[in-house]
Amino acid sequence: MKRTICVMMAHADDIELSAGGTLAKYISKGYRALYGVLTRCNSGWSENEAKGGHYEPSVEIVAKRRAEAQAAAKVFGAEFYMGGALENCYTRRDGVRVFPSFEGVGAQGTPADEVMEGLPMSVAAGAGYSAPAEQRIEMTDLLIEWEPEIVICQSFQCWNPDHYAAALMLLKAWMAACERADIGR
């Protein structure tokens, strides 16, 4: 088995906040590392002099958050993976409530041009095991390719629905990877 560690979490800053020290420790011991962000990072709080604290529209924040995550992976010395699931920050599309929110932005009337097309994280995670979502297939392939000795994800006990969904997606991908290849044994 290769000396590898895969850390895959929902958002661009989750790895640093939850497992940064562990990731750095294993990299310093010679492990090849994967820094994986499972969402597009389509929401974010920013502060600037003109606007103060505010949510940035998806169309503006995605590139910024992706660059932040890529820079973090580079600092760690890890390879970078970014998934395509949408964060569960929006509660409405065209006035229809589509999934729960932990931020409440949708309740304030998110303009339609700020809502990205794609599969919300909670829906991607809940897709049936026999008919996995596209990103989970990609994650399964990554796990087979990497043959990780260590896999770190978020806790199922977290109240943030994206964190729970990330853990569920990675668990399902791990189970599928173990069925297809001789890993995790």
Side-chain angles (χ1 to χ4, degrees):
M1 186 176 288
K2 299 176 187 175
R3 292 177 49 101
T4 60
I5 180 171
C6 293
V7 183
M8 299 177 83
M9 297 191 177
H11 308 114
D13 58 356
D14 292 343
I15 292 171
E16 295 91 302
L17 297 172
S18 301
T22 302
L23 180 60
K25 173 185 172 181
Y26 280 94
I27 289 171
S28 74
K29 291 183 175 196
Y31 278 66
R32 180 176 168 221
L34 179 67
Y35 177 111
V37 178
L38 303 182
T39 66
R40 287 190 219 163
C41 300
N42 55 287
S43 72
W45 182 261
S46 293
E47 293 192 23
N48 64 37
E49 207 170 304
K51 292 184 177 180
H54 65 285
Y55 273 95
E56 290 190 36
S58 292
V59 294
E60 296 174 15
I61 198 69
V62 170
K64 182 177 181 179
R65 294 293 182 250
R66 181 182 184 93
E68 290 170 352
Q70 284 178 308
K74 187 175 181 179
V75 167
F76 279 109
E79 292 184 40
F80 179 68
Y81 165 79
M82 186 163 205
L86 295 175
E87 292 182 10
N88 288 319
C89 59
Y90 296 112
T91 57
R92 300 177 185 274
R93 285 192 178 171
D94 298 323
V96 177
R97 188 174 184 87
V98 291
F99 46 85
S101 170
F102 59 92
E103 298 293 356
V105 175
Q108 298 171 11
T110 304
D113 63 348
E114 292 181 12
V115 181
M116 301 181 80
E117 292 297 320
L119 199 59
M121 187 73 161
S122 57
V123 175
Y129 185 72
S130 62
E134 184 178 306
Q135 183 172 346
R136 197 165 63 242
I137 293 169
E138 189 175 295
M139 291 167 56
T140 300
D141 291 344
L142 270 175
L143 291 169
I144 290 169
E145 175 190 336
W146 276 72
E147 299 179 37
E149 185 177 327
I150 300 164
V151 178
I152 299 174
C153 68
Q154 281 146 321
S155 169
F156 282 109
Q157 297 176 333
C158 184
W159 289 10
N160 182 317
D162 284 348
H163 295 183
Y164 181 88
L168 185 59
M169 286 177 71
L170 190 55
L171 173 63
K172 288 180 177 183
W174 177 258
M175 291 169 57
C178 289
E179 286 180 4
R180 288 181 33 206
D182 189 26
I183 62 171
R185 300 185 203 326

